Structures are given as structure tokens and as C-alpha cells.
Amino acid sequence: MCRWLTFRGDPTFLEELLFVPEYSLIHQSLRARRGATTTNGDGFGVGWYGEREEPGLFREVLPAWNDSNLRALAHQIRSHLFFAHVRASTGTETMRANCHPFVVGRWMFMHNGQIGQYEKLRRVIDNALPDELYAHRHGTTDSEAIFLHLLANGVEVDPQGAMEKTIRRIEDVAKETGLDSPFRMTTAFSDGQRLYAARYSTDPDPPSLFYRQDEIGTLVVSEPFGADEEGWQPVGPNSFLLCDPDGNVRVQPLTV
Amino acid sequence: MCRWLTFRGDPTFLEELLFVPEYSLIHQSLRARRGATTTNGDGFGVGWYGEREEPGLFREVLPAWNDSNLRALAHQIRSHLFFAHVRASTGTETMRANCHPFVVGRWMFMHNGQIGQYEKLRRVIDNALPDELYAHRHGTTDSEAIFLHLLANGVEVDPQGAMEKTIRRIEDVAKETGLDSPFRMTTAFSDGQRLYAARYSTDPDPPSLFYRQDEIGTLVVSEPFGADEEGWQPVGPNSFLLCDPDGNVRVQPLTV
Amino acid sequence: MCRWLTFRGDPTFLEELLFVPEYSLIHQSLRARRGATTTNGDGFGVGWYGEREEPGLFREVLPAWNDSNLRALAHQIRSHLFFAHVRASTGTETMRANCHPFVVGRWMFMHNGQIGQYEKLRRVIDNALPDELYAHRHGTTDSEAIFLHLLANGVEVDPQGAMEKTIRRIEDVAKETGLDSPFRMTTAFSDGQRLYAARYSTDPDPPSLFYRQDEIGTLVVSEPFGADEEGWQPVGPNSFLLCDPDGNVRVQPLTV
Amino acid sequence: MCRWLTFRGDPTFLEELLFVPEYSLIHQSLRARRGATTTNGDGFGVGWYGEREEPGLFREVLPAWNDSNLRALAHQIRSHLFFAHVRASTGTETMRANCHPFVVGRWMFMHNGQIGQYEKLRRVIDNALPDELYAHRHGTTDSEAIFLHLLANGVEVDPQGAMEKTIRRIEDVAKETGLDSPFRMTTAFSDGQRLYAARYSTDPDPPSLFYRQDEIGTLVVSEPFGADEEGWQPVGPNSFLLCDPDGNVRVQPLTV
């Protein structure tokens, strides 16, 4: 399990959301309060949309709480749409290619959760990828595989539909393999314009997902932060969240 | 604050003490039960005496709990006298030169604790080092400085006396600077033959120190491990522990 | 292209072969004299058989020429059978999982060379792996894929036959895909008892391979070292080398 | 010896100067054509002035030629004034705190060259630093020490005078110690407004320094790049270069 944050709004220095708030994401890397794991020290990453169509990306295998480069970049870089992720490995190696966010072209993706017994499913899930996306398979995580399936399933045309198809595909594969471990996840993804998030679980126990809106912009997070946790809206199980370029948020059911 | 372990006895695979026991040192890197910090993820190190007079040394800036090299080395390397350390930075950078153990010639040293307000004392503590040892100043920690002072104060001739002189020196420097933050520490050091450890604090609150002896050998640790924590002897405040090559342990008061 | 060395003989400190000789492997990491690339700074690895059936393994993404851990380990570790490798990436990422040697159980493998246009073949080569070996696919290199195919093709029973089947398989896949880039390689592999090496190329231009025998043992290398390069025997193109536990070396043609 | 580049002019993506040109700085990290070392693979760094008074900073211990983070940042970040450096260690460790550029407040500094026999002079050079700057001594290089002396010698008020005093100080220290190894260097430093560079050597053999001006801005480099090396002006030995905010360059003698 991991912790993540995504922001869309007025251009904001990353550090204002990553380091400054009480119980911030960087604090959560050392000591999360919700979620299956307390420590999220198996690498981290930030991705941000700036002057290019494709996002900037900085991923490292060190813990986020003490990385001088992350601190300097977060102090310097300002963006209207960015992702940040602190990783707790569920078994796969700690290497940059297994750190979030993942980027293909202008699409960026990150993830919390786990495909149950993924080590038994990796082969079939990889096999189901189209050839042209297999070249983007750089690591070994379920997260990267979910992203590539999302791209394969038409995220460009219908983001929610692609997410639903991806979930169904993974559930089907698990069933065919005879496994009954639950698939649990939250994800965030974006094309640089719109921000999408999803919360899903096979069983009634999906990882937490929250959002908050204020005059600066919209935050979607795996775990609220701030002294009083005020203003955070929980996103219900099996839901899809869309934040459009004007900052309007819509939450609707996932049909899986 | 950090967690550490040292062993002297029959040649033993490092993994049997670092990974196998319940609440082992590697477990403590992720979740220590005693001590000021829960997570000790700011680098780690192992040092072991083998076929050479000087010890082998492997230090890394990654967390110990998930490092493939540490796992492979601990599975393969067997030693009659070894040190292991997981680090929680008290302010200085996460870099190999700040990771424990430290080695000069055949002497090896590691440390838990803190010189209070060390950032204000570093200059004077460094200044007090003799020229010939300054070349071994590779990092910026109080730990490395304590080690170099220990060498300067005659550890070859009188290990306990050198430790006492070192503590007095640091206490004097702190007093002269007008600071009244406590100096708290446990240390372990060795020349490859004898194993020494010390527990000290200016105030009545030194970090914990324990040892255990069985048919295999002697363990000295900052925090007991094993399912039931059975057989561990606490070392009292302001004490000096000596384990000779026959495995006899003597604990006596530090005269500071 | 990379540079590598393997030794079988009397227990020898790694440093005596890796660091001490003129134009040693570590020197070659900075400045190789033969081979397509001068600098081999994209990670390194050493593997050695010791007291366990499976080998010890230490791989790092840093250049070999300046790594304090490699220096300390090579000074301390002694082995009768060890591999060392310095990497020059031919396109895949610099991450530990892409560094040589690779280990599965007691088998160890390393490689120099390249499957031509591998980025277009990775998918089909991965697809051809049996399920039970896919779990050992941790990186993205052609090297790791060759090793897993070698295991799949019965290296336990017939090492040379497995190597020949593996080469044919890869050549077939390339032909079916319509590519005509040459497959060029040298490899070394071992089960901890016997040492095997192969030199092959589709075209008349395989990477170099040499061996040398003296009273200490047998060296097989991608590039000779020592002041005068004396005593090195070239291994001919499309050859298979076997060194048995008594140190007898046999070189015979590869039948591909 | 290292290779470096600094730019002042219209906001420019770092990659356009670091990666795109023939024989670019990143190419020089693998294969420099001038200078004492061919390979500059012992870490790298970039620093840039953006929206903050103090510069952004990204330093890493890996070689520059193959670092995914550097590539992504250089593609994304645009600046009117930036520094880049690829390092070839002259003896001190490869760690971030020894990588260039160095930053204190809004001042940024980088360096190529060497204080001769620095390992014998480090102590006295460190001792000569004022207390308030010693807190910024994070590594062990001569480069960082030169920077801190430059700050101590009044760079705020008189940049060239401070550089001259710093050189004299180091020369004096070397003489007092009875050493006669030459001190050779090029440096670049900036407060975010003006860009300064210096070329100096005790003996007649200072490292090379060049600059070029075009409609985009001013480049100062240790080694020219571009297919034809056209338009580069050599800076003479023992010279000081100043580039003001309007892009006017003045080169005048260093009076040491």
C-alpha cells in the first residue's frame, strides 16, 4: 500500500502541498495514519505538467522524507497539475522503474493497492498487453500493468470506460486462474487537462480516497492531511471521480 | 536515534541474527519498539571481521528492510565478530560517509544517540581532532567525530579510559559553548579481538543497551529481539562493557 | 557491450583479480581497450560461490571504478569460483535488476553482446518463456532473457545443448520477425561446480573471449589484462568452453 | 578534472544545451576531448535560477549520461541562468555533498581543477573558515572549500576581489605547508543576477575556459561543443570574466 496526492488548480509550488501541511504526504512517507502500511519508504515520485505536453518526472528509490533533491525540486517547481507518490512495496523490487507516477506520452498514472496474489497473475496480465504497449513495460509492478491496460482499453476516448474495462479484465484473469484474492485499488491519472481518479475493490474493503476543493484548486488524496482534516470529502467505494479544467468535480459509480 | 547489534562468538551467518529472529534488527529498521524513533530508514551498514585484520564494510543509503544486496550478503557471509546498524538521521545527510559502522585500520565503531545541539558544536569538536586523524573525517556526523576522538584518546592502550576521556572532552566543549543539551549515547567498538560497548548520558536518560549470552556467543544490542525477549541483561546507565576473546563479559562503571 | 571476468581455482580474494592487475576489469570499467564501448559505467556486479549452494551476489547501479562497497567486499571476500561484470547499457535502464550476474537457485549467468534490434524482439522472447521461469524475470535486458531460456532449455542436463537450443531459438525468433540484425554474444555460466562459457555470433564478428590457466586456476575473460597480456588463449568464434572441477578446460564447436 | 557549462540569456530548456548539441556536456561526461580525464562519471549536478531567489538544485552520484531523472528535468525546466557539471573525482568520495554546483543562499558555485596535494591541505583550509560558514561544509572536496572561502572573503561586495583573496589564501596555505604542487582551477559563480567565471593556475597550465555569445545568450564552458566549435572565445590564463544582466561580457586580469 502506498500514499499519494494529486492537485489541479492555480499554479502552486509542490512543497506547499507536499511538505508544509501537518500530516503532509512526506510526513505520511514516514508515518501514515490510515492504510495497511505505516511506513512508505520504498521509493517515491513526483510528476507535473509544465510547459511541455508531456509531464516532468522525478522518481527515486530513496525514502521521500529525507531526500535533498526532492526538497529542492518541490521548493522550486510550480505547477497547475501534479502528482506525488510515496511507495510501500507489496513485494516487487525497489527500483525507479517500479516507482510511481508512470508516464506514457502525455498520460500520467499512479496507484495504491494491490492485485491479490499478483505474483501468480503477472504472466497472464503481461500477456494480455498489446505489442505496441509492451515496449513501455519497464518494471514489474501490478501498477504499471494496470496503467498499460488502461491505455490499451481506450483511455483517450473514454477514460471511465477504459478504467472499467481494465478492472473487468483483471478480475476475469484472476477468476480464470482460480484465485479469489481481492483486487483493491485507488488510482489517479491525467492527460494534462482533466484529472481522473477511481476507487475500487472486489470485496467491500477498498483503500480510502478523499478530495477537497478550495479557492486554490482541487486535491485528491489517499489520506487527508492538515491539522483538523477539515473539508475533505470521502469518495465512496467503486466510484469514479472526474475533475475538469474548470475545477468542477463529478463523482459517479463505476460499472464493473 | 538508531538501532544496532554486535555479535562475538562462533562464526555465524549474518542473516541468522539480522533477518531470522522475531523483531530482528532489520525489522527494527522499519518498526523499532524502543528508542526515540520508530523508523530507522536513513541508511544502514554491516561490518565484519573475516580473514583480514581490518574488517569488511558494506554501507548503503537505502533502507535496510528492502535492500537486495544486504539480504544476499547476510545470507552468504559468516563471521565470529560483526556489527550491524540501521540509521535514523538526527539531522545530518543520508550518505554512505554518514552511515555506521566507521572503520579506521582494524578498529570499527558504531553509535546510537546524539550530542545535544551538535550543529552548534561540530566546529569545535572537529577542531579538537589531531591532524593525522582529520584525514579520516569523511562525513559530518557526531558519531564519526566521537570515533576519531576515541582513536585520538588512546583506544589502543586503554579502551575504557579513551572512552571516558572522549566523553569528558565532549561534555567540556558543550559546557564551554554554554549549551546545556544532554549528550546521550550507546556505542560499540572493536579491534577484531575484543568487543567494547558503552552506555552514557549527561542526564538520567541514556539510550537502552542490552546483552545476551548463549552457547553460540555474545550479543550486545540497542534493543532486545526474539519472540519473548528472554535472556537479555540490561546494561546500567554510565557503564562500560568488555567482551574478551573467550567470551567473558564484564560490565563496570564509566568514570566520567 | 560489457566486460566480464570469471575465475575458477584456488580460493582467491576478488580484489587480486579485479583491482590489482594492470588493465584489470575495474580499469576496463573506465577504459576498455577492446570491444564496442570504451566506458562500462552503467552498473556492475560480482557473484561468488562460498559456503552456500547458491552464490553470493552484489550488484550496483554505480560505476565500478569508484564504489567503496565493491572495493571493501573485493578486499574481504575469497572464493574458488566467482564472476564479475561491468556494464555498458545497450539501451535498457541502469537498475540493479538489469545488472549482471543473474542468479536463479545455484545457477549464475552473465553476458556481453546484444541481440540485434532487441527492443523489437523483447515481446516474443519473453512470450516464449515457460510460466515457472517468468517469475524470475525482474528486469528488461536481453541478457536475463537469454539466461531464463537457457534454464528452460535444460541447462541442468546438457549445458552445451541448452546453450545451442537457446541460440537457435533466438535466431529463429529474429528470422520470423523479419529482422536481420546479428545476434552477438559471449556468456559465462556455472552451477557452482563447472564453469561454462560460449562465444557466438550470427555474423563473422563475435565479441572477444579469452582464457588463461596457471597454478592458481583458470580465468575466462572478455578482454585480457596484465601488463603484457601473456598466456591468454583466444577462444574461437562459435565455440563452447567447459572447465571442470579439476580445472581441465575443453573448447569445442557450438553446433547451432 | 571535471567539465561544466553555464548559461545566461533568454529562458532556455536545459536539454537544449546539455543534450542536444554535438559534443554536449552530457556527451563529455562519457568522453571529453580536452582536460586531464576523459570520463566524467563520478556524479553530476544542475542548478538553475527560477521563480525563487535561491536556485533549484539537483545533484546525483550516478553518471550523467544515463540518468532518467536528469533527462526528464532537462526536458522540462527552462531557465535564464543555469549551471551544469559532470564530475571526475580527484580522490574524494562520490556522494551528493561532493557534487557540484554548491549553493549557499542565492549564491551558486562550481569548479574544475584541483588544489595540488589537497589531502595534505584540507585541515588547514577548513580551519581557516569562519564559524558561521563551517555549518555549510557538507562534503570533503576542495571545491566546496573554495566556495566557502569565496563567501568568507566578501563575494557579495567585490566578487573579483573575493576570488583573488581566496586564491592568495590557498596559495599561502600551500606555501606555509611547504608544498609546491600547483593550484589549477576554473570556476563559475553567480548570485542569480550576474555571472562570474575565473581561470587560474599557479603554473602556466590552467584548465581551459571558453565563452560564446549569440542572440540567445552567453555560454561559459570548460570545453567548447558543437559540430564545428565555431564562435568560442578562449579566456586567457589568470583572467576573470563578468557577464552582467544585459549580457555584456568583460574579461580582465586576475591580480593574485
Side-chain angles (χ1 to χ4, degrees), chain B residues 18-75:
Chain B
L18 296 190
F19 283 91
V20 172
E22 203 164 350
Y23 307 115
S24 72
L25 189 73
I26 303 309
H27 178 93
Q28 293 169 29
S29 72
L30 195 54
R31 202 157 314 170
R33 297 180 296 169
R34 301 174 192 234
T37 50
T38 303
T39 309
N40 297 279
D42 300 324
F44 68 85
V46 292
W48 69 97
Y49 292 96
E51 299 185 71
R52 306 278 199 174
E53 201 184 57
E54 64 272 37
L57 186 62
F58 173 61
R59 301 188 294 182
E60 198 44 273
V61 295
L62 296 162
W65 63 74
N66 213 359
D67 186 71
S68 54
N69 284 326
L70 177 60
R71 193 167 288 270
L73 290 170
H75 182 68

Side-chain angles (χ1 to χ4, degrees), chain A:
Chain A
M1 305 291 266
C2 312
R3 303 284 83 181
W4 58 255
L5 164 163
T6 183
F7 171 78
R8 201 197 187 305
D10 297 341
T12 298
F13 286 111
L14 274 55
E15 105 185 326
E16 285 174 31
L17 293 175
L18 296 189
F19 283 92
V20 172
E22 203 164 351
Y23 308 115
S24 72
L25 189 74
I26 303 309
H27 178 92
Q28 293 170 28
S29 72
L30 194 55
R31 202 157 314 170
R33 295 180 296 169
R34 301 173 193 237
T37 50
T38 303
T39 309
N40 297 278
D42 300 323
F44 68 86
V46 293
W48 68 99
Y49 292 95
E51 298 184 72
R52 307 277 199 174
E53 200 184 57
E54 65 273 37
L57 186 61
F58 173 62
R59 301 187 294 181
E60 197 44 273
V61 295
L62 296 162
W65 63 75
N66 212 1
D67 187 70
S68 53
N69 284 325
L70 176 60
R71 193 167 287 270
L73 291 169
H75 182 68
Q76 204 66 216
I77 291 170
R78 196 138 79 139
S79 169
H80 71 287
L81 178 40
F82 62 84
F83 284 26
H85 188 277
V86 293
R87 183 169 177 261
S89 166
T90 52
T92 51
E93 277 101 320
T94 299
M95 55 193 198
R96 285 189 192 169
N98 281 351
C99 289
H100 308 225
F102 301 94
V103 169
V104 173
R106 62 198 167 86
W107 285 94
M108 177 153 63
F109 173 92
M110 65 185 172
H111 167 245
N112 171 38
Q114 198 171 0
I115 300 178
Q117 302 191 61
Y118 171 62
E119 66 287 356
K120 294 187 186 151
L121 292 174
R122 177 158 76 105
R123 185 66 196 268
V124 275
I125 290 174
D126 280 2
N127 273 355
L129 285 171
D131 283 355
E132 66 276 15
L133 285 168
Y134 196 72
H136 295 284
R137 186 66 161 137
H138 298 296
T140 51
T141 57
D142 52 355
S143 310
E144 190 189 40
I146 295 169
F147 178 35
L148 297 179
H149 276 284
L150 188 66
L151 293 170
N153 286 326
V155 74
E156 285 279 359
V157 178
D158 175 6
Q160 178 168 352
M163 190 76 248
E164 292 168 346
K165 271 173 82 171
T166 299
I167 292 170
R168 277 198 295 271
R169 186 72 186 255
I170 288 164
E171 292 282 19
D172 286 351
V173 159
K175 258 176 240 150
E176 284 158 24
T177 322
L179 301 177
D180 64 350
S181 296
F183 171 27
R184 296 182 185 129
M185 63 152 222
T186 62
T187 64
F189 53 104
S190 178
D191 60 355
Q193 299 298 322
R194 283 168 185 75
L195 169 64
Y196 308 97
R199 183 183 183 209
Y200 175 78
S201 181
T202 320
D203 67 5
D205 199 19
S208 57
L209 186 66
F210 293 82
Y211 74 101
R212 195 179 73 187
Q213 294 194 286
D214 60 19
E215 65 283 7
I216 306 298
T218 303
L219 276 160
V220 187
V221 300
S222 54
E223 174 170 328
F225 53 77
D228 51 10
E229 296 202 5
E230 213 167 274
W232 294 98
Q233 308 292 329
V235 175
N238 301 351
S239 298
F240 189 82
L241 179 152
L242 160 66
C243 176
D244 72 20
D246 298 323
N248 303 311
V249 168
R250 210 168 57 227
V251 179
Q252 48 205 34
L254 272 176
T255 310
V256 179

